[in-house]
Amino acid sequence: MFADKKIAVLGAGKLGEALITGLIEAGLVKKEQFIATAAHDERLQQLRNKLGIQTTLSNSEAVRKSQLVLLCVKPQAVQEVVRQVADDLTPNHLLISVAASVTIRFIEDLIPHSVPIIRVMPNTPCLIKQGMSAIAVGKHATVDHVRQAQMIFDAIGRSLIVDEKHMDAVTGLSASGPAFVYIIIESFIEAGVKVGLPRETATQLSAQMVLGAASMVLQTGEHPAKLKDIVTTPAGCTIDGILELEEGGLRVTLIKAVVRATQRARELVNG
């Protein structure tokens, strides 16, 4: 699908680099097919040395030389960058944006042509190919364009299609969520230390436990409540721990954290 395509990565930071690496390692794209941009030549030098790809400081040059464009800049920079390349984009391009909070309509209004646009919200575990990416489809995008987007983001984790109206909620849940989980893991580690475990032991136990629990949800397809009940034996130690969590309001606090992050996502594009 990508054999004859040149791919421009505009704003090749950590996520852009992860996308490039993931596609190359998955065997979907060769390094010669990429052309990446960044704001500073120092970053471009790093990309050339590490990945062996073509780079340029010119976003317009990258777009002119490509058929697929990955827009990886910060939300506040989208307007400026898209205006730079608007005249270079054609209906034969596919533009995939990973900028949080920036709508497809916002980008379409900056471009004088009917360019296929897909909006994606990935998260940081994409950096280790364990990401979760939500994909929203613009009005000019075809089934083939969607398939291309899925292949790209499946190379660095999992992907699913959502209605664009849910993208801010996706940002609040799966994009912000890893930070919330890290706090939970950190708390488990401190708890382990509190009850006498060496810190390194508590760290490995906590992180693998969270990974295993998440994998159980995904692989079994069972509701988390049912999996919880399997662990919670009558008059056992787990139920006492759950009572402490409920009394401390963990459930409500996590829900409120996602709601607040979602609200902020709606405001982000406006600074």
Side-chain angles (χ1 to χ4, degrees), residues 189-248:
I189 294 168
E190 297 302 326
V193 173
K194 172 66 176 175
V195 295
L197 292 172
R199 183 168 295 277
E200 177 59 30
T201 301
T203 298
Q204 291 192 45
L205 288 170
S206 299
Q208 180 61 38
M209 176 267 293
V210 172
L211 174 62
S215 297
M216 285 282 287
V217 174
L218 290 172
Q219 293 182 26
T220 67
E222 296 286 1
H223 194 283
K226 183 174 181 180
L227 296 173
K228 177 199 69 179
D229 289 347
I230 294 172
V231 183
T232 311
T233 55
C237 55
T238 305
I239 188 62
D240 284 358
I242 289 174
L243 288 173
E244 289 291 337
L245 292 177
E246 296 293 357
E247 184 176 342

Side-chain angles (χ1 to χ4, degrees), residues 86-125:
D87 291 333
D88 301 303
L89 288 164
T90 73
N92 293 323
H93 280 94
L94 168 59
L95 175 63
I96 298 177
S97 169
V98 297
S101 304
V102 180
T103 66
I104 293 171
R105 177 64 181 273
F106 180 88
I107 298 174
E108 286 176 341
D109 288 346
L110 297 172
I111 303 171
H113 312 293
S114 299
V115 176
I117 298 173
I118 288 177
R119 177 183 172 188
V120 183
M121 189 66 254
N123 62 8
T124 55

Side-chain angles (χ1 to χ4, degrees), residues 8-239:
V9 182
L10 307 186
K14 290 183 178 180
L15 178 58
E17 181 179 334
L19 288 168
I20 295 168
T21 303
L23 288 169
I24 292 173
E25 292 183 354
L28 296 174
V29 182
K30 297 178 180 178
K31 62 182 180 180
E32 294 80 12
Q33 292 174 250
F34 286 103
I35 178 168
T37 75
H40 305 287
D41 192 59
E42 181 182 0
R43 173 58 180 164
L44 298 183
Q45 184 65 48
Q46 292 174 348
L47 292 169
R48 290 194 296 269
N49 293 340
K50 185 175 182 179
L51 303 177
I53 61 173
Q54 182 183 354
T55 65
T56 176
L57 287 170
S58 171
N59 291 316
S60 293
E61 177 189 354
V63 170
R64 288 195 302 269
K65 291 182 175 179
S66 68
Q67 293 80 47
L68 195 159
V69 178
L70 299 177
L71 184 63
C72 300
V73 300
K74 295 183 182 299
Q76 295 84 351
V78 167
Q79 185 171 23
E80 177 185 354
V81 171
V82 173
R83 281 178 172 168
Q84 289 174 10
V85 303
D87 291 333
D88 301 303
L89 288 164
T90 73
N92 293 323
H93 280 94
L94 168 59
L95 175 63
I96 298 177
S97 169
V98 297
S101 304
V102 180
T103 66
I104 293 171
R105 177 64 181 273
F106 180 88
I107 298 174
E108 286 176 341
D109 288 346
L110 297 172
I111 303 171
H113 312 293
S114 299
V115 176
I117 298 173
I118 288 177
R119 177 183 172 188
V120 183
M121 189 66 254
N123 62 8
T124 55
C126 287
L127 300 176
I128 59 166
K129 301 181 179 61
Q130 292 293 329
M132 185 68 241
S133 301
I135 298 172
V137 183
K139 62 183 179 182
H140 302 301
T142 66
V143 172
D144 181 66
H145 293 137
V146 175
R147 191 179 301 116
Q148 290 181 53
Q150 287 180 300
M151 290 182 70
I152 290 170
F153 289 91
D154 284 346
I156 55 172
R158 295 171 178 250
S159 69
L160 54 80
I161 309 297
V162 301
D163 191 294
E164 191 180 15
K165 68 182 180 182
H166 297 308
M167 288 299 268
D168 289 330
V170 168
T171 302
L173 178 58
S174 69
S176 297
F180 309 152
V181 175
Y182 297 142
I183 292 174
I184 292 171
I185 294 173
E186 183 182 23
S187 299
F188 279 132
I189 294 168
E190 297 302 326
V193 173
K194 172 66 176 175
V195 295
L197 292 172
R199 183 168 295 277
E200 177 59 30
T201 301
T203 298
Q204 291 192 45
L205 288 170
S206 299
Q208 180 61 38
M209 176 267 293
V210 172
L211 174 62
S215 297
M216 285 282 287
V217 174
L218 290 172
Q219 293 182 26
T220 67
E222 296 286 1
H223 194 283
K226 183 174 181 180
L227 296 173
K228 177 199 69 179
D229 289 347
I230 294 172
V231 183
T232 311
T233 55
C237 55
T238 305
I239 188 62

